Amino acid sequence: MIESVLVANRGEIACRVFRTCRAMGVSTVAVHSDADAGALHVREADVAVRLPGSAAADTYLRGEAVVRAALDAGADAVHPGYGFLSESASFARAVLDAGLVWIGPPPAVIEAMASKTRAKRIMAEAGVPVLEAAEPPLIVKAAAGGGGRGMRVVRDLAALDAEVASARAEAMAAFGDDEVFVEPYVEGGRHVEVQILADAHGVVWALGTRDCSLQRRHQKVIEEAPAPGLGGAGGGADRGGGGEE
């Protein structure tokens, strides 16, 4: 049974996980950079562990430091939240190798889907339609992350090289990976997501839709669920699939 969870994240993300842990009677461990020493998630946790440094690349993105913090604090499990190391298969493996519980998808699943370029290739091979770059307008995206980081809209091909270089620099600073890709920029399109949840027993739930079209600098401001105007999109458990996800 899990008695203590370290959340490898910060801010609102960590606070939400801490709230659930408190409701379940599970103690919580926060990690923080020097810049976040006084942050709310640090104050709300039962235990807080300092990650020396101020930049994300020196703190929240250092998987070995986070694993060490979990062991030092006596945590049983690590919850990555989203962003940072949540899509790092090597981090998930490091957590498991340390004898801790990893609250998230198995490393093999993360490895397959963490990179947007790899995920697009898998989807295309499975016959799922994907966007392919053609003529402007185009959008440059970071392969290893989201949240609007490492994204640039290109309306003139003459500016493409410069925007790719700029996106790579931002992606490296935010995610520790400078891989980017280019696809068509859909003018006026709606951003609709379908949330999927699966357990270790092969049960998969479709949790319905959400519309994330209202954005600022390519970062979601409001998410509305269910997505309006799509008809009857429901959720439920599907026990027909196999494998651990």
Side-chain angles (χ1 to χ4, degrees), residues 65-89:
V66 175
V67 171
R68 190 182 317 115
L71 294 173
D72 290 346
D76 305 309
V78 172
H79 191 308
Y82 54 87
F84 287 140
L85 294 168
S86 63
E87 298 182 4
S88 170

Side-chain angles (χ1 to χ4, degrees), residues 70-138:
L71 294 173
D72 290 346
D76 305 309
V78 172
H79 191 308
Y82 54 87
F84 287 140
L85 294 168
S86 63
E87 298 182 4
S88 170
S90 60
F91 177 59
R93 289 192 183 94
V95 169
L96 294 170
D97 289 345
L100 301 167
V101 175
W102 168 250
I103 304 176
V109 173
I110 298 175
E111 201 160 50
M113 303 304 293
S115 166
K116 291 181 174 63
T117 51
R118 190 181 306 116
K120 287 186 67 171
R121 186 163 56 251
I122 292 171
M123 293 299 102
E125 291 172 353
V128 178
V130 297
L131 292 172
E132 298 292 348
E135 298 297 321
L138 303 170

Side-chain angles (χ1 to χ4, degrees), residues 209-237:
T209 61
R210 64 183 186 185
D211 191 303
C212 313
S213 303
L214 184 56
Q215 301 185 7
R216 177 178 180 270
R217 297 178 180 175
H218 309 296
Q219 189 167 17
K220 303 165 190 173
V221 176
I222 293 176
E223 299 177 353
E224 183 178 358
L230 294 183

